[in-house]
Amino acid sequence: MDVGTMIKTLQDPMGIPFYPILFQVLMILTFSLHIMFVNFVIGASFLTLYGYIKGSTYWKDLSRSMARATTASASMAILLGVAPLLFVQVIYDVFWYASNMLSAAWVIGFILILMTAYSLTYIFYLKRDSKGNSFAIFGIIAFALFIFAGVIMHALGYQLLQPAKWLDWYVRGDTADTSGVSLHAFQLSRFLHFIVPSFAMTGILLMLYAWYFKDRNDKDKEYLQWVGKMGANMAFVFTAIQAAAGLWWLLSLPSKFRFFLDPFFLISAGLGIVLLVYLYSARKDPVRYAVPGILLAFLTILGMSYARESLRMKYLGRFDYSIFNYKLNLDYGSTFLFLSTFAVGLVIAGYLLAVAYKSGKAAGEYVSTPSMNRWGKVSIALLLIWIAIVAGLGIVISIKNYL
Ligand code: HEM
């Protein structure tokens, strides 16, 4: 059986419940958010460690803040990883599941690795001042584990693109290898393209830090200036390194893809250059450039995520696979429930983020405004209605199935 026929045979015969473009757009959007927070995790956990080892007062303060930023960003990265995980399972089900089965031990181990890295960061944060530099080891292991989590995700995403090799990976000698203990594919240039931006994005995070606390009287102005300047320098230098890493990845792609002509690639590379020029200027006044800087950086990530998806379509097009040919089994009810869950989630998450933002902006106790109170009440009401609908539907469908 040729690979194209094998893939068609393995597809879900039920088809997908809505036009694939919807899942694809949402997958790219949520992947962009996921990878941005992944970048914050890796960059912030590195700065936590680096600041701790450097040991001056400013570096120690920054290291403490970065430890908090690491755990908060890890929570966001995990939360925002679930969404593209669901979408990739809908439109690339055969590829994602096959890749997961081939490395199943690492898929399960991934959760343990993340839990350990997360816990070690917390221990490091809480215990760091107790005994000299001895707690650095917790920071080192946490950082290494976060990077390793990236290696696993990368291998899963890269194995997925190479169905012609699956059989070779599955067979060892003349028996099937069902252990799932190997990671079969790794492309350094691609991996670096996702990891190097961690230091650029964390540079922008530092610029935002200086911007966010600028009006607080209890914060040392010189310290904030130092953080902002260092952030802007980091952001600029690592964006330049990232451009070189991107070029390396581009050159290592199969030449018949002619990916350098891909419109998504060209747009995202253009955005990358605009970002680089912007960050060059940002070094003059990091606080003023911080907010537009993160928006421009996110736009660039979004462009790159579109290019990444366009590349995946080129890889899989070789096997005559296109998500646009997936069998459609339109189901408006479940699609509506899904999209309304998404919208409700945005309102609630927006409220939580707004409270977090406002409560840290001014020194002292946070006093909620009437409009924030209303937003809070609407969020709780929406959550209750959503639980009632989802639980109600579940009960009704279970009873119907039983009868
Ligand atoms: C801090 C821990 C994590 C790191 C460092 C990390 C890193 C990465 C990287 C580097 C990629 C891109 C791989 C590539 O295309 O070559 C990626 C993709 C992805 N990650 Fe994460 N990730 C983390 C946590 C998670 C979690 C917890 C989930 C799920 C709940 C998740 C879900 C995904 C998904 C669905 C993709 C895209 C797969 C695809 O489109 O092929 N990640 N991640």
Side-chain angles (χ1 to χ4, degrees), residues 8 11 20 320-328:
K8 287 200 177 69
Q11 277 185 315
D320 205 20
Y321 183 85
S322 164
I323 58 167
F324 300 108
N325 295 335
Y326 216 120
K327 181 181 161 194
L328 255 188

Side-chain angles (χ1 to χ4, degrees), residues 27-162:
M27 180 181 70
I28 295 168
L29 178 67
T30 52
F31 172 74
S32 309
L33 289 165
H34 167 63
I35 206 72
M36 182 169 76
F37 280 96
V38 164
N39 286 164
F40 290 151
V41 173
I42 290 173
S45 65
F46 178 79
L47 281 186
T48 305
L49 190 62
Y50 186 76
Y52 180 71
I53 293 168
K54 276 271 194 177
S56 69
T57 319
Y58 279 3
W59 271 113
K60 276 197 154 178
D61 285 351
L62 186 62
S63 165
R64 189 188 310 275
S65 303
M66 287 298 105
R68 290 306 299 268
T70 306
T71 50
S73 305
S75 310
M76 289 300 287
I78 294 166
L79 179 77
L80 290 163
V82 177
L85 180 67
L86 299 181
F87 296 124
V88 84
Q89 285 170 1
V90 174
I91 51 180
Y92 291 109
D93 52 345
V94 174
F95 303 92
W96 181 254
Y97 291 130
S99 180
N100 275 237
M101 297 294 272
L102 284 163
S103 304
W106 293 111
V107 177
I108 298 167
F110 180 75
I111 299 161
L112 292 177
I113 288 167
L114 268 193
M115 281 164 60
T116 313
Y118 194 90
S119 314
L120 289 179
T121 309
Y122 251 110
I123 297 175
F124 183 59
Y125 174 70
L126 296 173
K127 295 279 182 190
R128 43 181 293 126
D129 295 328
S130 357
K131 276 188 209 133
N133 264 357
S134 54
F135 275 91
I137 190 69
F138 286 85
I140 294 172
I141 299 175
F143 176 68
L145 288 178
F146 281 130
I147 293 277
F148 190 52
V151 169
I152 297 176
M153 272 296 150
H154 162 74
L156 294 177
Y158 193 44
Q159 287 169 190
L160 170 163
L161 300 175
Q162 305 173 66

Side-chain angles (χ1 to χ4, degrees), residues 114-378:
L114 268 193
M115 281 164 60
T116 313
Y118 194 90
S119 314
L120 289 179
T121 309
Y122 251 110
I123 297 175
F124 183 59
Y125 174 70
L126 296 173
K127 295 279 182 190
R128 43 181 293 126
D129 295 328
S130 357
K131 276 188 209 133
N133 264 357
S134 54
F135 275 91
I137 190 69
F138 286 85
I140 294 172
I141 299 175
F143 176 68
L145 288 178
F146 281 130
I147 293 277
F148 190 52
V151 169
I152 297 176
M153 272 296 150
H154 162 74
L156 294 177
Y158 193 44
Q159 287 169 190
L160 170 163
L161 300 175
Q162 305 173 66
K165 296 188 181 161
W166 292 347
L167 190 61
D168 288 342
W169 291 336
Y170 184 59
V171 176
R172 187 172 292 170
D174 53 3
T175 50
D177 175 11
T178 54
S179 66
V181 293
S182 305
L183 292 173
H184 302 276
F186 183 83
Q187 189 184 29
L188 186 61
S189 54
R190 180 180 174 122
F191 179 66
L192 287 180
H193 192 259
F194 292 107
I195 299 303
V196 172
S198 301
F199 303 97
M201 292 306 291
T202 307
I204 299 179
L205 187 68
L206 295 185
M207 288 162 65
L208 282 171
Y209 180 97
W211 164 81
Y212 182 70
F213 288 119
K214 71 179 186 323
D215 300 325
R216 289 252 308 244
N217 301 330
D218 56 335
K219 295 278 174 193
D220 176 349
K221 299 279 176 248
E222 261 179 45
Y223 165 69
L224 289 181
Q225 231 172 31
W226 173 79
V227 173
K229 280 250 174 271
M230 189 181 47
N233 281 330
M234 250 177 91
F236 172 67
V237 170
F238 281 96
T239 304
I241 297 176
Q242 167 67 359
L247 190 64
W248 181 26
W249 184 20
L250 182 69
L251 294 176
S252 48
L253 294 176
S255 54
K256 60 172 172 291
F257 287 172
R258 297 167 68 81
F259 199 62
F260 50 88
L261 295 178
D262 183 272
F264 292 107
F265 165 72
L266 290 172
I267 292 170
S268 59
L271 284 168
I273 292 168
V274 173
L275 179 66
L276 187 65
V277 173
Y278 181 87
L279 291 172
Y280 179 77
S281 313
R283 294 179 308 159
K284 287 185 301 230
D285 187 355
V287 167
R288 192 158 66 86
Y289 282 74
V291 176
I294 189 72
L295 296 176
L296 183 56
F298 182 69
L299 202 62
T300 310
I301 294 181
L302 190 62
M304 284 291 168
S305 304
Y306 259 98
R308 172 178 177 271
E309 177 60 7
S310 174
L311 179 63
R312 170 152 52 196
M313 291 173 77
K314 283 203 170 17
Y315 267 105
L316 302 185
R318 294 188 296 185
F319 307 100
D320 205 20
Y321 183 85
S322 164
I323 58 167
F324 300 108
N325 295 335
Y326 216 120
K327 181 181 161 194
L328 255 188
N329 191 359
L330 281 177
D331 181 352
Y332 292 105
S334 69
T335 306
F336 176 75
L337 185 66
F338 164 72
L339 288 178
S340 41
T341 301
F342 198 71
V344 167
L346 287 182
V347 175
I348 298 171
Y351 172 71
L352 296 176
L353 287 176
V355 170
Y357 171 80
K358 284 177 179 255
S359 57
K361 196 83 175 104
E365 199 179 321
Y366 165 65
V367 184
S368 179
T369 57
S371 59
M372 284 300 288
N373 278 340
R374 264 198 305 280
W375 191 353
K377 283 182 185 153
V378 169

Side-chain angles (χ1 to χ4, degrees), residues 331 333-335 337 388-403:
D331 181 352
S334 69
T335 306
L337 185 66
I389 292 178
V390 173
L393 268 174
I395 293 167
V396 170
I397 292 170
S398 305
I399 294 173
K400 264 183 143 181
N401 284 346
Y402 185 71
L403 292 176

